[in-house]
Amino acid sequence: MKNSRSDAYAASGVDITAGYEAVRLMKEHVASTVTDGVMSDVGGFGGLFAPDMKGIEEPVLVSGTDGVGTKLKLAFLMDRHDTIGIDCVAMCVNDIVCCGARPLFFLDYIACGKNVPERIAEIVKGVADGCRQSGAALIGGETAEMPGFYDEKEYDLAGFAVGMADRKKLIDKNNVREGDVIIALPSSGIHSNGFSLVRKVFDVENADLKAPVEKLGGRSLGDVLLTPTKIYAKPVAALMDAVKVKTTAHITGGGFYENIPRSLPDGISASIKKEDVRVLPVFDYLAETGGISERDMYNTFNMGVGMICVVAEDDAEKALACLKEHGEDAYILGKTVKGEEGVILW
């Protein structure tokens, strides 16, 4: 690639040599995610991965794809790009975890108005951090420079994850019964959902994002909003080894009212006392500032619960102990009951 340069293409706004420099800068971050199955290096035309099939009778591949959404606006405004990649990985791997799969590998896609190699490398650093947290290898990706389509200081970020499970160990919501226990895995904050509403409420384009806020424990609004999404792959994998997990739900956009019913069979609802939800301060501050109703808050945000796992009542204490051993301050959120409401918040 030493002779690869197009003056005409550069004049149109695309500098292919900047792309080569970005790849050079990101290589150390990509290398930090390498697992035993990786068969290729960054820069090729495809990512190669040979999964370990030991102990798996009938392998099933599970895939998920997502982006970061308008939370990216906060990264632009704060000029901080090294954590947003964690969000991208989290939004993909947390979904495939809900099927009972363990992440194998991840690919990212970055589209930008101007390829600034140092900024691209920062973004990829975050992606690599998320991959290490989830146990996935970053085996490929794409950076597209698109002048005139994106502003020079803006970009979009999306990803794609693949995991694997043994068919007999796939999570099946039809195993849920009345009286099962719902366990909450706390979120780290707003995660990566509802940011169109968040941005409107806080008028982030005109706000002082770096000023400390008393109601946020003295942290700045920008820091709190940019807190990356928690990744649950490793603790949930450990939990599945310890007890039978009947179902799980990743609490994303749509909050409790949309996501929890997706994880339950017909005729079963989740009964949750509002006083048992450990709501994070950012949600109280958001509701107060925006005059948002309690119903809308629970129907938009995770409210401090990033994921739920449902287990039999007899397994609840063992499940809590396992999750806490793996760094999760998990707690009992509620129980399953007969009913068609989906979620009963009382």
Side-chain angles (χ1 to χ4, degrees):
M1 294 185 291
K2 292 180 180 179
N3 296 321
S4 177
R5 174 174 174 78
S6 169
D7 291 335
Y9 209 5
S12 74
V14 178
D15 184 355
I16 56 177
T17 59
Y20 303 149
E21 176 63 7
V23 170
R24 186 188 70 80
L25 292 174
M26 70 176 70
K27 277 192 172 185
E28 64 174 294
H29 304 305
V30 176
S32 72
T33 74
V34 170
T35 61
D36 289 341
V38 176
M39 297 178 61
S40 56
D41 194 9
V42 65
F45 289 100
L48 307 181
F49 192 91
D52 182 359
M53 301 293 190
K54 292 176 185 175
I56 298 179
E57 295 179 9
E58 193 173 357
V60 177
L61 294 178
V62 182
S63 60
T65 185
D66 208 340
V68 179
T70 64
K71 184 175 184 176
L72 288 170
K73 286 283 188 180
L74 271 298
F76 305 157
L77 291 167
M78 296 284 288
D79 193 24
R80 283 174 45 187
H81 312 282
D82 61 340
T83 63
I84 208 74
I86 299 175
D87 293 283
C88 187
V89 176
M91 298 309 296
C92 298
V93 299
N94 285 345
D95 278 355
I96 67 175
V97 162
C98 290
C99 298
R102 304 186 187 208
L104 295 176
F105 59 82
F106 188 85
L107 294 91
D108 61 11
Y109 175 78
I110 304 168
C112 58
K114 182 177 177 60
N115 188 332
V116 179
E118 293 77 13
R119 184 170 62 204
I120 298 298
E122 281 190 69
I123 298 168
V124 174
K125 176 188 178 300
V127 174
D129 288 344
C131 285
R132 289 196 304 276
Q133 290 176 29
S134 63
L138 178 57
I139 65 169
E142 176 70 17
T143 302
E145 192 171 17
M146 302 168 63
F149 196 88
Y150 293 96
D151 183 85
E152 287 193 357
K153 295 183 178 180
E154 296 187 349
Y155 55 87
D156 199 5
L157 175 62
F160 175 82
V162 172
M164 186 169 63
D166 198 332
R167 181 185 288 270
K168 66 182 180 182
K169 294 183 179 180
L170 288 171
I171 290 176
D172 182 358
K173 67 181 182 181
N174 292 306
N175 290 320
V176 177
R177 299 290 183 267
E178 178 185 12
D180 287 338
V181 173
I182 303 168
I183 295 176
L185 282 67
S187 70
S188 56
I190 295 177
H191 284 184
S192 298
N193 306 104
F195 269 84
S196 293
L197 178 55
V198 170
R199 288 168 42 238
K200 178 182 178 183
V201 168
F202 292 127
D203 188 19
V204 295
E205 282 79 6
N206 299 303
D208 184 351
L209 296 174
K210 296 183 179 180
V213 178
E214 183 179 349
K215 293 184 177 180
L216 297 177
R219 297 179 65 194
S220 73
L221 179 61
D223 284 343
V224 170
L225 296 183
L226 266 185
T227 300
T229 305
K230 185 181 283 190
I231 293 175
Y232 301 98
K234 291 181 179 180
V236 172
L239 180 64
M240 289 191 296
D241 287 340
V243 302
K244 181 177 179 59
V245 178
K246 296 192 173 187
T247 194
T248 63
H250 182 200
I251 312 302
T252 56
F256 281 40
Y257 286 105
E258 178 183 327
N259 292 288
I260 293 178
R262 292 168 61 189
S263 68
L264 300 174
D266 292 340
I268 295 290
S269 295
S271 177
I272 300 170
K273 290 182 183 180
K274 294 174 188 174
E275 65 186 43
D276 289 337
V277 181
R278 298 178 185 174
V279 179
L280 296 175
V282 65
F283 295 109
D284 291 330
Y285 186 50
L286 178 60
E288 178 186 333
T289 304
I292 305 171
S293 70
E294 184 178 69
R295 167 79 191 200
D296 283 354
M297 289 296 296
Y298 277 95
N299 208 161
T300 308
F301 302 105
N302 67 62
M303 301 302 288
V305 179
M307 184 170 282
I308 64 157
C309 294
V310 177
V311 301
E313 187 172 18
D314 290 345
D315 287 333
E317 289 306 316
K318 186 175 181 181
L320 288 171
C322 174
L323 288 167
K324 289 180 179 179
E325 183 181 342
H326 288 82
E328 290 296 326
D329 189 19
Y331 62 93
I332 293 176
L333 183 65
K335 282 198 169 187
T336 55
V337 297
K338 288 184 178 179
E340 300 293 341
E341 297 90 341
V343 175
I344 304 166
L345 283 169
W346 54 285

